[in-house]
Amino acid sequence: MTTNCEEAWAKCLNIIQENLPKPVFNTFFAPIVPLELKGSLLTIQVPSNFFYEYLEAHYIELIAKTLHRVIGSDAKLEYRVVVSKDDVTERPITVRLPGGEIPKNITNGKRTIIKGDNEKIGVYSIPGVEPIQIDPHLNPDYTFDNYVEGECNRLARAAGFAVAGNPAGTSFNPLFIYGGSGLGKTHLANAIGLEVKKNFPDKVVLYVDANKFLTQYMQATRDNNRNDFIHFYQMIDVLILDDVQYFADKQGTQEVFFHIFNHLHQHQKQLILTSDKAPVDLNGMEERLLSRFKWGLAADLQEPDFETRIKILKRKTYKDGIEIKEEILEYIASHVTNNVRELEGTLISLLAQATLNKKEITLELAKGMIDKLVKNTQREISIDYIQKVVCNYFSMSVDVLSSKTRKREIVQARQIAMYFAKNMTKCSLAVIGNAIGNKDHATVLHACKTVNNLIETDKAFKQDLDEIEKRLKM
Ligand code: ADP
Ligand code: MG
């Protein structure tokens, strides 16, 4: 039984590791001890309550999907939290998470419950004649209260607040929020949704990630449910579409969204869109859709300045009831500068380190950790890593890249690996050729040309490449 449990957990870790940046994996998953596997119930031990809460809040979906794959669709999970001997107030708690089939409502107090396979349930199948009850899929933590104001987000925040007070009644329709990754787009978009719900409980609000919209649409087309899909979205009063850049080059989805957009706009419904680029810089989008995006207000989010970074850190520590010395916060704020997600990540790793080692949070601890983190984020993607990701994507083993075969798929995978190695590392063509299949620099050059040509002429190929690039940058 025990080996069974360890084996199962080892398999889970393999999958989880593939899906997470190394520091996150090491911090949160490496310390977990598998205790028991009874039928489909897996029990794991985590070092503290903080771990349990953090895992639940951030990785439950990944964990659930992994368990379903390894243990089966009826997999269940229990956490056991280690009690420290010197802390008698902390009791062992065992939490049972339901399996995956039925998507329960997302939150239950502060505890998240496995969301199930949202893609599959297809929210659009909900019939809706009377005032409809739709789970708005908003994150209850992403409120305006928790959204620190600074020079970097003043306009977007103010516009968002105005929209929430008067949905579709301002000239900010659509409200288009754009900015780099980790700067707070998703948070702000959610805050608007929550505020609308607070002001107008009867309004139907829906937050949807563009990727999810895409998947739903594809499924609806396959199941001949396209009309239901469209009708569902036409019932929404405030539609929040996150990361609309994912619609690039997806013509079918763009077209259907164009109709939904028009319908909502004509019926005085509010649209909120986010994107990692300004409308003018969005490639692969139909012109008529882009021009709609420009109808309302496009507001950007910038990198936070020092003062805002400090405020954000203070807000987080205050919210979590943790006290950290000012000098430590200042140290963090002056070293982690370009994105709020990293800022939070640093704070969280620091807390994790401190609970894990039962240490106090000191400036030394912070310094040590930031040194590591900064090194990690500046890490150059290695050629080995590129080969691994490319082969993984095409489900082939890395070894075949150095085989002599002329099989088309293998030659192409090799060329793609060379292409990314040239673009993402500082290695010379000779070094790249040597590392990938022991070829010369001319072969690498030729590979890059071939790949560039294909990107321009072959849509499916380009999609493969985009997906690989995304995985490389994860
Ligand atoms: P994006 O969608 O732009 O990639 P997110 O909205 O996911 O970024 O933000 C990343 C993290 O940073 C989230 O945890 C969010 O709560 C936090 N965050 C971003 N901006 C702020 C802010 N102004 N105040 C407080 N937290 C913020
Ligand atoms: Mg986001």
Side-chain angles (χ1 to χ4, degrees), residues 240-258:
I240 303 168
L241 182 71
D242 201 5
D243 287 322
V244 69
Q245 75 273 5
Y246 288 128
F247 283 0
D249 299 324
K250 305 278 193 280
Q251 266 137 359
T253 312
Q254 287 183 31
E255 183 173 329
V256 81
F257 183 66
F258 178 75

Side-chain angles (χ1 to χ4, degrees), residues 140-328:
D141 286 333
Y142 284 175
T143 59
F144 270 109
D145 270 354
N146 291 336
Y147 197 71
V148 171
E149 182 170 356
E151 217 38 70
C152 53
N153 61 30
R154 206 176 303 284
L155 172 67
R157 193 180 190 284
F161 199 75
V163 163
N166 190 5
T170 67
S171 54
F172 311 150
N173 196 15
L175 176 60
F176 190 99
I177 302 166
Y178 66 96
S181 166
L183 293 180
K185 301 181 293 294
T186 299
H187 186 143
L188 180 56
N190 269 271
I192 300 170
L194 291 170
E195 192 68 21
V196 170
K197 270 301 206 190
K198 205 161 91 189
N199 296 334
F200 310 95
D202 290 340
K203 285 225 186 282
V204 183
V205 176
L206 182 72
Y207 167 92
V208 63
D209 174 76
N211 261 327
K212 187 161 151 192
F213 184 96
L214 261 165
T215 320
Q216 287 176 347
Y217 174 64
M218 277 175 351
Q219 191 159 356
T221 313
R222 206 168 45 224
D223 301 346
N224 274 326
N225 273 338
R226 199 169 171 272
N227 285 340
D228 289 351
F229 175 86
I230 295 174
H231 283 141
F232 171 76
Y233 276 97
Q234 289 179 341
M235 294 186 303
I236 311 292
D237 295 320
V238 177
L239 178 62
I240 303 168
L241 182 71
D242 201 5
D243 287 322
V244 69
Q245 75 273 5
Y246 288 128
F247 283 0
D249 299 324
K250 305 278 193 280
Q251 266 137 359
T253 312
Q254 287 183 31
E255 183 173 329
V256 81
F257 183 66
F258 178 75
H259 291 299
I260 293 170
F261 185 107
N262 284 340
H263 182 94
L264 293 179
H265 203 273
Q266 276 162 16
H267 289 81
Q268 278 78 47
K269 305 298 166 77
Q270 178 72 43
L271 290 119
I272 296 150
L273 309 165
T274 81
S275 156
D276 66 352
K277 293 183 201 73
V280 283
D281 298 324
L282 272 175
N283 293 325
M285 260 337 158
E286 273 187 60
E287 203 39 55
R288 56 178 188 169
L289 203 51
L290 281 182
S291 79
R292 297 270 181 306
F293 292 171
K294 295 175 200 158
W295 277 356
L297 173 75
D300 69 330
L301 296 175
Q302 302 271 348
E303 292 177 6
D305 54 37
F306 179 75
E307 200 187 321
T308 312
R309 296 200 293 274
I310 289 278
K311 268 204 248 168
I312 290 175
L313 288 172
K314 282 193 175 158
R315 157 84 52 181
K316 298 274 169 218
T317 50
Y318 176 77
K319 205 172 132 245
D320 294 346
I322 307 149
E323 270 184 50
I324 297 187
K325 286 205 198 95
E326 185 90 21
E327 56 168 359
I328 299 178

